[in-house]
Amino acid sequence: MGRFNSHRHGGHDHGHHGHDHGHGHGRFDFFGFFDSLLARLFPVRVDDGVFDFVLDSDYTIDFKNNFVQIKVDGGRTTNLSLAKWEANSVDAADLDKLTFKDGVPASLNISGVGFVGADVSGTGGAETGTNIDDFLTEQLALTDAGSLAEALTIDGSQAGTFAVLWEFLDDGYVEEGYFASVNENFVRLGIAYAEYLEDGGAPLTEMIGKFAPDGPDADLTPERLQSLHDNLLGNLGEAPINSRFASDPATGAELISLIEAIDPDLLDRPYYSGNDNSEAAYDAVRAYDFDKGYARTDFIDTFFGAVDDRATNGGAGVEMIFGDGNSTDGYAITRHEGAGVELALKAKLRGVGDLDPSDVTYNADGTATFRVEADPASADRMEWNIDWAATVTEAGDDDSFVFKFLADVDGSAAEDFIDLTATGSEYTSNGDLQNSWNYGFFPDTDFDTTAAEGLYTVRLEAYDDGALIATQDIYLEVL
């Protein structure tokens, strides 16, 4: 028994010594092994709507009838429903891991790219936050920009897709010039964009493609400010297509035919470069787009100054229609350049004219505050009037509008408007409205000229087919 015990004891010591020896050279990394095993078993995961391609290997994406198969070197094949594939995105940084079996993906959501407009990039051109040029180069070697735009969704929207593809093509255009090889892709991208607009997509008027800061001239306007919307549609004009494809008329004719199938008018849409001092072209594209139902965000212009000549007596720009000697200047003005309407409001002194400039504040939001006396000129007249004009400009000649003139009679923070629209047709007969209104004209039950102190809002509104399209407010600070 003792001999057996001695042998066991010695063996135990030897084994323990051997264990210490092994510990000195390293320990088996169980957790690392387990993580590696999990990565091979589950090489594709989803984290907060973004696919995580776990392995540092090549992934092959194969679109089947109703699912997506993902194969990876050194890992298990993953099958995803098409719905799950399209509900999640691929991070732009992972695109270099992916190969698409059929060359062009049937659908692909890409996140983390980021379009930076030319007006804020600081480089003079539009940029992307993450460079995916290699991926786009590969794809555009296999298909055209319009088809690729239909397959991709970048940064969660079609707007992002058009912006990133446009930025990539523009880099090539800047390098190669007017007859650049990218011209066909620019037109095909524009065709896809026109289809997007026809389907109710929002115009890309706030994404700036071309920009040059203000130069040493008298105004404060950038030398160029062109949106992606105007650039994309500008590539669909028949004249530039014929010019750029003069050496390949068959391709030019094909592109023109595709545009005609969407809307033949696009071939003759006015061109707006975004260059300084091209206001007429800017107004023309806005009028065109309004008639087409494109909901661009820059229809409205606000400024302070003179009314349109159409609001003046005989169109001469000298005095208002509603009476001799009434100044055409000093108004707070809102113009809807798409629809073709102008709304103008101001306060003035009766029998004198415009207020002293120190009594007028023109606000950044396009409104204005006029400071006037509370003491009435007589029992039924204030010392000041409200001059107002609602005018249809040339762009609106093919439409009809409803105008409203509303005057607030509650001097507190609340508003109590009385509709005075009917007073505006005394001097006009063509749908325009204008007049000069004194708060003393109100019945005493509506407005007491002997207790006028307060803050009042006066408003003009314009409606097209029942929809409010423009407003102009001024405030009367009666002291």
Side-chain angles (χ1 to χ4, degrees), residues 263-332:
D263 184 350
D265 291 345
L266 287 168
L267 294 167
D268 297 315
R269 180 182 181 270
Y271 178 73
Y272 175 55
S273 65
N275 290 335
D276 193 9
N277 299 316
S278 57
E279 290 85 359
Y282 187 33
D283 292 346
V285 295
R286 288 187 287 180
Y288 175 97
D289 288 355
F290 182 79
D291 287 342
K292 289 296 180 182
Y294 301 158
R296 55 188 301 155
T297 57
D298 57 348
F299 284 129
I300 300 293
D301 286 344
T302 60
F303 61 97
F304 309 105
V307 296
D308 189 275
D309 283 350
R310 287 191 173 199
T312 67
N313 191 13
V318 177
E319 59 189 9
M320 300 299 291
I321 297 172
F322 58 74
D324 294 345
N326 287 289
S327 165
T328 64
D329 208 353
Y331 284 87

Side-chain angles (χ1 to χ4, degrees), residues 253-466:
E254 178 197 352
L255 296 172
I256 288 173
S257 177
L258 291 172
I259 296 166
E260 287 176 330
I262 300 170
D263 184 350
D265 291 345
L266 287 168
L267 294 167
D268 297 315
R269 180 182 181 270
Y271 178 73
Y272 175 55
S273 65
N275 290 335
D276 193 9
N277 299 316
S278 57
E279 290 85 359
Y282 187 33
D283 292 346
V285 295
R286 288 187 287 180
Y288 175 97
D289 288 355
F290 182 79
D291 287 342
K292 289 296 180 182
Y294 301 158
R296 55 188 301 155
T297 57
D298 57 348
F299 284 129
I300 300 293
D301 286 344
T302 60
F303 61 97
F304 309 105
V307 296
D308 189 275
D309 283 350
R310 287 191 173 199
T312 67
N313 191 13
V318 177
E319 59 189 9
M320 300 299 291
I321 297 172
F322 58 74
D324 294 345
N326 287 289
S327 165
T328 64
D329 208 353
Y331 284 87
I333 297 174
T334 290
R335 287 174 65 103
H336 192 302
E337 296 292 357
V341 296
E342 178 184 271
L343 306 176
L345 282 168
K346 72 174 179 180
K348 72 174 184 188
L349 297 177
R350 283 176 57 85
V352 176
D354 291 341
L355 272 65
D356 188 282
S358 64
D359 291 325
V360 183
T361 300
Y362 294 113
N363 304 314
D365 62 358
T367 63
T369 303
F370 295 83
R371 287 171 290 279
V372 292
E373 293 289 335
D375 293 336
S378 63
D380 59 354
R381 293 291 184 274
M382 302 304 294
E383 290 188 344
W384 40 270
N385 273 24
I386 305 302
D387 287 0
W388 62 282
T391 307
V392 177
T393 64
E394 184 177 355
D397 284 344
D398 59 350
D399 206 342
S400 60
F401 305 96
V402 172
F403 298 112
K404 289 186 179 181
F405 172 49
L406 308 172
D408 174 23
V409 292
D410 187 336
S412 71
E415 293 176 330
D416 181 11
F417 287 107
I418 293 179
D419 190 336
L420 300 172
T421 307
T423 67
S425 58
E426 180 179 354
Y427 299 95
T428 60
S429 59
N430 61 347
D432 297 351
L433 299 175
Q434 62 173 257
N435 211 331
S436 187
W437 178 263
N438 190 286
Y439 264 54
F441 296 164
F442 283 119
D444 291 344
T445 53
D446 291 330
F447 183 80
D448 184 357
T449 58
T450 64
E453 293 89 349
L455 183 66
Y456 302 86
T457 302
V458 181
R459 177 172 298 158
L460 272 174
E461 298 176 338
Y463 293 81
D464 182 37
D465 289 334

